[in-house]
Amino acid sequence: MLVSLHVKNLALISETEVTFGEGLNILSGETGAGKSIIIGSINLALGARADKDLIRTGADYALVELVFQVTDDAMREEIKALEIPVEEDGIIIIQRKIQPSRNLFKICGETATTKQIKALSEFLIDIHGQHEHQSLLYKKNHLEILDSFAGEALAGIKSELKEKYQLYAAAKKELASFCVDDGTKAKELSLAEFEFQEIEEANLSAGEDEELERDYRRMANSRQIVEAADKAYQLTANGDQSAAEAVGYALRELRSVEGYDDRARELADELENIDALLNDFNREVSEYMSDMEFDGEQFHQMEERLNLLNHLKLKYGASIQAVLQYQAALGDKIEKLRNADEYKAQLEAKLSDMQTKLKNLCQKASKVRSKEAAKLQKDMIAALTDLNFLDVKFEIQVRKKEEITAIGSDDVEFMISTNPGEPLKSLGNVASGGELSRIMLAIKTVLASRDRIPTMIFDEIDTGISGKTAWKVSEKLGRLSQSHQIICITHLPQIAAMADDHYKIAKQAVKNKTVTDIVHMEETEAVDELARMLGSDEITDTVRENARELIATARKKKL
C-alpha cells in the first residue's frame, strides 16, 4: 500500500506530506484547489514526464517522495529479482528530484532508472484517470483487458507464442532474401566470395592487432626509450658520481666498522643487498637497450601489416575477432547462395512447420480467451448491474483473424447495450462520459479480484453521474476498498461519505504567494467538508445533520 506522499516545491505546493490509510481514502476540495497536482505528483514520482516549469517559482528544485509497504512475500521476492532494493520490513521509498538541468530517481536511497521505476510501479499501484475512460473506445485495448483477466491461464501460451513468432518472422525474412532473381543472387555471391577471400588472404589471428600495436608503439618511440634508458644507466652504473659508485663507497665505509657494533653489520648487510639489486638493474637496462635497436625493414613491415588490419576492421568489424566472425557468416552465406534452390526448399519446409505450430498455439490461446471471455462477461454484467445499469447486456466477441501476430490471431471486441430494447453496440459507440467511467470502474473491480496490485487511484471516476448512480459507485468503491487500498478524488458527497480517511485539498495565499496543501480531517472537519459538498452556501446545523446522515447511510452500506 501507499503509506505516504511527500511533495516539496512542486507547482503550487510549497511543502506537504500526507499519510494514507488502508481502506478508502477520499480527496476533495474546491474547484481549482489543486487536486490534480496531488495525483500528478504521484505520477511524476512513478516516471511521468517532468517539465522544469513544474518547479515552484523561486525554488532550485522540486521533490516528490512516495513510501510504499509491500506485505506480500512473493511480490517482494519478484521485486528483488528485478534488482530493486526493498527494506527488510517491506518498505520501498521512491524519490524523484526535479532540477532545471536533470532529474534524479532513487529507490531506497539507490540511484534508479526510469525503466526500473516503471517496472516497480506495475507491482505497486494502478492509476486510473479520465484518459482511461477514453481508452475503452478503442477496440485494440479490449484484447489487452481480456488477457489481463485471463492472467496465468494464458500467460504460458502467450510467452511461447511470442518466442515462436519471433523465430517465424526471422525465417520468413530470410526466405524473402532468397526470393530474388538469379542476377541479384549472382551479384551477392560474387561480393560475398570477394570479401571472404580478402579476409582469408590476410591470415588473421585473434588479438594480433593489439599485440602488433604495442610493438609498433614501442618501436616508433625507440629513440626516446633508448635515450631515457641510457640516461638511467649513466646515473646508476657509470661515472664517479653514479649510484653504483656511491653505494660501493658507502658499503666499504660500513664494513670497516662492522666489527665494533652489530647494528653497523646489519646496515652493511642491507646495503650489500641494495648493491646487488642495483647491479642486477644495470645489467637489465643494458640488455633492454641492446634489444631496442631500431630495424627499419621490420618497422616498415609492421606498419604495412597494421594498415591492412585497420583496413579490414574498418570494413568488417571493430576488432579482429569481429572480422573473423563476419568471415564465418560470409562462409554460411556463400554456402547458401551456391545451393540457393536447395536451401530455399529447406526454408520453405521449415517455415511451413513453424506456421503449423503457430496456428496450433493460436488455437490454444483462442480457446482460453473464449473460456475466460465467458467468465469476464458474466462478472461484468454483475458489476454493471451493481453500478445502476438497468437491464444491461454485455458481450465479449472473440473472432479469428487470418493474420498471425506475436499475441495470436484473435480479434476481441466488447459489446454493450445499456437500455432495454437497444441492440448490442461496440463500446466505441458509447458516448456518455458517465457510462464510460462506470464501465471502467466495473472492469477495474472485476480485474482487481484477480490481480495483486495493492493500491488503486481513481481520478474523475464520478464524471457525469449523480443521485442513485453516485450511491452505487460509492458502494462499489467501498467494497473494493475492503481488499485494496483506494485513493479517490471526488466532488460528489455520496462518494466522499464512504471514506475511511478523508483529506481536504485547499488553496490559500501565504506571503503574497498561492499555496496548495492537503490535510487529513477529523470527523467534525469531515462533516463540515461534506456539508460544503452538499452545495450549501452557509454551513448550518441542519446541513451538518444532513452530512452526518449521509455518513451514517454510507457506513450501513459498508456492512
Side-chain angles (χ1 to χ4, degrees):
M1 62 173 279
L2 178 58
V3 178
S4 66
L5 163 68
H6 178 213
V7 184
K8 184 177 182 180
N9 299 332
L10 184 71
L12 297 178
I13 299 175
S14 174
E15 186 166 16
T16 191
E17 184 165 357
V18 56
T19 301
F20 294 106
E22 293 184 0
L24 178 57
N25 297 265
I26 293 294
L27 280 63
S28 64
E30 293 279 6
T31 301
K35 297 188 290 295
S36 60
I37 296 175
I38 301 300
I39 300 300
S41 64
I42 294 174
N43 275 314
L44 284 172
L46 297 176
R49 185 183 174 193
D51 194 288
K52 63 181 181 180
D53 294 337
L54 289 170
I55 301 172
R56 184 171 171 79
T57 303
D60 296 326
Y61 66 91
L63 180 72
V64 184
E65 185 177 87
L66 304 178
V67 179
F68 289 91
Q69 182 164 37
V70 180
T71 55
D72 186 321
D73 291 337
M75 182 183 289
R76 203 182 302 179
E77 291 306 314
E78 287 178 47
I79 293 171
K80 286 180 180 178
L82 296 175
E83 297 184 350
I84 293 174
V86 182
E87 301 290 345
E88 287 186 8
D89 55 359
I91 291 292
I92 297 176
I93 302 172
I94 299 175
Q95 188 183 79
R96 184 177 190 179
K97 190 175 186 179
I98 303 167
Q99 298 170 291
S101 58
R102 68 183 190 124
N103 282 213
L104 180 66
F105 286 101
K106 287 188 176 182
I107 302 175
C108 294
E110 295 184 15
T111 302
T113 63
T114 306
K115 185 178 179 181
Q116 283 179 305
I117 295 288
K118 290 188 175 180
L120 176 59
S121 67
E122 291 179 5
F123 286 94
L124 302 176
I125 197 165
D126 181 8
I127 301 178
H128 172 77
Q130 191 172 13
H131 70 280
E132 284 192 86
H133 306 344
Q134 304 304 317
S135 72
L136 283 175
L137 300 176
Y138 303 106
K139 188 175 70 171
K140 64 181 182 181
N141 296 321
H142 298 174
L143 175 64
E144 186 179 335
I145 293 170
L146 175 58
D147 286 1
S148 179
F149 179 79
E152 291 300 319
L154 188 61
I157 297 173
K158 283 185 71 175
S159 177
E160 190 177 356
L161 246 174
K162 182 180 178 181
E163 181 184 343
K164 282 190 165 45
Y165 180 81
Q166 288 173 342
L167 294 173
Y168 170 77
K172 195 174 181 180
K173 184 179 178 181
E174 190 175 1
L175 178 62
S177 69
F178 280 89
C179 295
V180 293
D181 58 77
D182 292 340
T184 302
K185 278 189 278 192
K187 287 179 182 178
E188 285 188 20
L189 178 59
S190 177
L191 177 61
E193 287 176 333
F194 170 79
E195 290 181 338
F196 184 91
Q197 190 62 29
E198 184 179 30
I199 297 170
E200 185 72 13
E201 289 175 356
N203 194 25
L204 304 176
S205 58
E208 175 190 2
D209 53 338
E210 296 173 2
E211 183 179 350
L212 197 58
E213 283 171 3
R214 284 194 300 269
D215 291 343
Y216 179 82
R217 186 169 56 250
R218 179 174 58 83
M219 189 169 286
N221 295 284
S222 59
R223 179 178 296 174
Q224 293 95 315
I225 294 171
V226 169
E227 286 177 357
D230 183 62
K231 185 66 175 176
Y233 185 75
Q234 295 300 326
L235 289 169
T236 58
N238 288 335
D240 295 338
Q241 296 181 350
S242 68
E245 181 69 21
V247 169
Y249 180 76
L251 181 59
R252 287 193 297 273
E253 288 296 321
L254 283 174
R255 288 298 184 199
S256 68
V257 296
E258 65 180 356
Y260 305 132
D261 185 54
D262 291 342
R263 181 57 179 154
R265 184 183 297 107
E266 291 172 1
L267 290 172
D269 291 342
E270 288 181 24
L271 197 56
E272 191 166 5
N273 290 333
I274 293 172
D275 185 51
L277 287 171
L278 195 55
N279 288 331
D280 290 343
F281 171 77
N282 289 328
R283 186 167 52 255
E284 288 177 14
V285 168
S286 178
E287 291 172 357
Y288 179 57
M289 287 189 291
S290 298
D291 293 340
M292 284 300 297
E293 289 181 4
F294 183 81
D295 185 330
E297 180 63 26
Q298 183 184 8
F299 183 75
H300 178 68
Q301 291 174 358
M302 192 181 294
E303 198 168 38
E304 284 191 335
R305 181 64 176 174
L306 264 179
N307 287 338
L308 173 62
L309 297 185
N310 288 331
H311 168 73
L312 293 175
K313 288 197 292 183
L314 188 64
K315 285 182 71 175
Y316 305 123
S319 66
I320 296 298
Q321 185 64 37
V323 174
L324 291 171
Q325 288 173 352
Y326 182 77
Q327 185 191 25
L330 283 173
D332 290 340
K333 185 175 182 179
I334 290 167
E335 182 68 24
K336 291 171 184 176
L337 286 169
R338 285 174 177 170
N339 304 281
D341 292 339
E342 181 184 343
Y343 189 73
K344 182 181 174 184
Q346 289 176 0
L347 266 180
E348 287 173 341
K350 180 181 177 183
L351 204 63
S352 176
D353 182 57
M354 284 181 164
Q355 195 171 37
T356 300
K357 289 177 180 177
L358 268 177
K359 285 181 179 178
N360 289 338
L361 279 171
C362 287
Q363 288 175 0
K364 285 183 181 180
S366 185
K367 187 175 180 180
V368 173
R369 283 183 177 128
S370 296
K371 183 179 178 181
E372 294 297 320
K375 296 177 184 176
L376 178 56
Q377 185 173 297
K378 180 181 177 182
D379 291 350
M380 279 295 296
I381 291 172
L384 290 168
T385 302
D386 287 344
L387 290 168
N388 207 34
F389 279 95
L390 303 176
D391 196 29
V392 66
K393 294 182 179 66
F394 186 86
E395 184 178 294
I396 301 175
Q397 296 182 355
V398 181
R399 312 182 194 100
K400 184 180 178 182
K401 297 186 298 183
E402 289 300 319
E403 179 191 7
I404 295 175
T405 69
I407 56 174
S409 58
D410 292 320
D411 183 47
V412 174
E413 186 171 17
F414 293 171
M415 311 292 288
I416 193 168
S417 169
T418 57
N419 296 304
E422 282 192 357
L424 286 164
K425 296 179 182 178
S426 171
L427 276 182
N429 295 320
V430 176
S432 165
E435 286 185 334
L436 278 177
S437 64
R438 281 186 288 156
I439 293 168
M440 181 55 87
L441 177 57
I443 289 172
K444 292 286 183 180
T445 304
V446 172
L447 292 181
S449 66
R450 293 200 173 195
D451 68 35
R452 297 179 298 155
I453 298 175
T455 299
M456 302 176 74
I457 295 181
F458 291 99
D459 188 14
E460 305 287 351
I461 198 66
D462 52 14
T463 300
I465 63 173
S466 59
K468 183 179 179 181
T469 301
W471 268 118
K472 292 293 185 180
V473 170
S474 178
E475 289 177 46
K476 182 63 74 175
L477 288 171
R479 284 197 292 274
L480 190 56
S481 69
Q482 292 174 6
S483 57
H484 292 68
Q485 180 193 40
I486 307 296
I487 298 171
C488 179
I489 290 180
T490 186
H491 65 273
L492 292 181
Q494 295 95 326
I495 294 176
M498 195 67 70
D500 294 306
D501 289 277
H502 196 161
Y503 304 84
K504 184 177 181 179
I505 301 171
K507 187 161 57 175
Q508 57 184 319
V510 178
K511 295 181 181 179
N512 297 321
K513 287 187 177 181
T514 304
V515 175
T516 291
D517 200 7
I518 177 171
V519 293
H520 181 268
M521 293 184 290
E522 299 300 328
E523 187 172 347
T524 54
E525 296 169 310
V527 168
D528 284 352
E529 173 64 5
L530 210 58
R532 180 197 65 77
M533 296 174 76
L534 284 166
S536 177
D537 290 334
E538 183 180 353
I539 300 178
T540 64
D541 289 341
T542 302
V543 179
R544 286 192 180 94
E545 187 57 35
N546 288 340
R548 289 190 189 94
E549 287 180 10
L550 208 60
I551 292 172
T553 302
R555 284 176 178 169
K556 287 178 183 177
K557 290 180 180 292
K558 273 187 177 183
L559 299 176

